[in-house]
Amino acid sequence: MEIHETAVPDAYRVVPRHHTDARGSFFESYAYDELARRTGHVFVPLQVNYSVSARNTLRGLHGVRLPPGQAKFVSCVRGALLDVVVDLRLGSPAFGAYATHRLDAREGTAVYVAEGLGHGFVALTDDACVSYLCSTRFVPGTQIDIQPLDPALGLPWHLGLTDEPLISEKDARAPSLAEAADQGLLATYDACRELYERQLRAAGATGPAAPPVPAAPPPPAAPSAQALAKASRTRR
């Protein structure tokens, strides 16, 4: 797989390699050791979520407060979407920067979103289904919601919209970026960097390795001469 940096530090675009034949195709979407080795981020999914959205649905911007924080590995498993990641970390040299990507089920491209970043998308097709691998379980009261149409962010949702966006009441009434900062909802860049480094240290001083592969079971014992003779008589 290919892993590319984006305009948002600690967000990465992951492009799988497809293996195709007459039956169809196969690809590896996520690999623990590859992501860690090439990005320095240790990502172990503890929860998997899915959302299904109508065309022009806008979901976001969403994040999770520190602690516990939450990293995500986002992919589209049906249809297509315009994906948006925003740097919400106070003190980040890229604070307010965003990166957009088209994710669709046929290509299988995914986006890794580290803790402290905000995420949202516009559905480009009806019945678009999005998969989220999450590094932490849902903890009520820790989600961050930012008004996705905040003029201070200037996010290019129009690139994916053909009509007025369908937005939940919760997202429409969410605070602006400035209001969220004033309310103490946003993590600092330094706190996020400390979290990433702590996770890497916990995984091992030389970097995380792939989880151990279970040992193969021992081969079955060869049948005895008596058992072979009995089977031969039975076939007759």
Side-chain angles (χ1 to χ4, degrees):
M1 62 178 62
E2 300 175 8
I3 300 178
H4 302 278
E5 295 181 347
T6 72
V8 176
D10 303 301
Y12 296 87
R13 183 168 64 97
V14 181
V15 183
R17 294 176 180 169
H18 290 252
H19 305 276
T20 60
D21 57 26
R23 302 167 299 171
S25 65
F26 171 89
F27 65 86
E28 181 180 81
S29 174
Y30 163 70
Y32 168 90
D33 53 337
E34 277 295 297
L35 186 72
R37 181 176 64 84
R38 296 167 65 178
T39 70
H41 285 269
V42 177
F43 178 70
V44 179
L46 295 185
Q47 182 170 315
V48 182
N49 301 329
Y50 293 91
S51 67
V52 179
S53 303
R55 178 71 172 98
N56 292 312
T57 292
L58 195 168
R59 296 183 185 263
L61 288 167
H62 299 151
V64 174
R65 300 179 66 175
L66 264 66
Q70 185 178 85
K72 301 174 184 177
F73 191 89
V74 182
S75 62
C76 183
V77 296
R78 186 172 61 241
L81 58 102
L82 176 71
D83 188 86
V84 177
V85 181
V86 183
D87 194 338
L88 302 179
R89 300 168 297 184
L90 297 173
S92 168
F95 180 72
Y98 62 83
T100 63
H101 303 94
R102 177 187 169 93
L103 306 184
D104 67 55
R106 183 165 60 179
E107 293 182 356
T109 298
V111 174
Y112 174 74
V113 183
E115 295 91 342
L117 305 179
H119 176 262
F121 69 85
V122 167
L124 302 179
T125 60
D126 275 321
D127 207 31
C129 184
V130 179
S131 166
Y132 314 79
L133 307 185
C134 303
S135 66
T136 58
R137 296 293 308 275
F138 171 70
V139 179
T142 62
Q143 180 163 316
I144 299 170
D145 301 315
I146 305 292
Q147 224 294 337
L149 303 178
D150 180 1
L153 287 170
L155 301 177
W157 302 114
H158 64 280
L159 297 177
L161 293 169
T162 59
D163 205 339
E164 290 297 312
L166 301 174
I167 305 178
S168 70
E169 182 178 352
K170 177 175 68 70
D171 287 347
R173 299 175 63 179
S176 67
L177 180 64
E179 290 169 339
D182 290 342
Q183 295 170 20
L185 300 177
L186 306 182
T188 66
Y189 180 72
D190 288 345
C192 290
R193 295 304 311 172
E194 289 173 6
L195 174 63
Y196 310 153
E197 292 165 8
R198 189 164 62 248
Q199 292 168 340
L200 194 58
R201 287 196 302 271
T206 59
V213 177
S224 64
Q226 182 179 6
L228 290 173
K230 182 178 180 181
S232 177
R233 289 195 299 272
T234 302
R235 283 196 297 271
R236 291 174 189 166

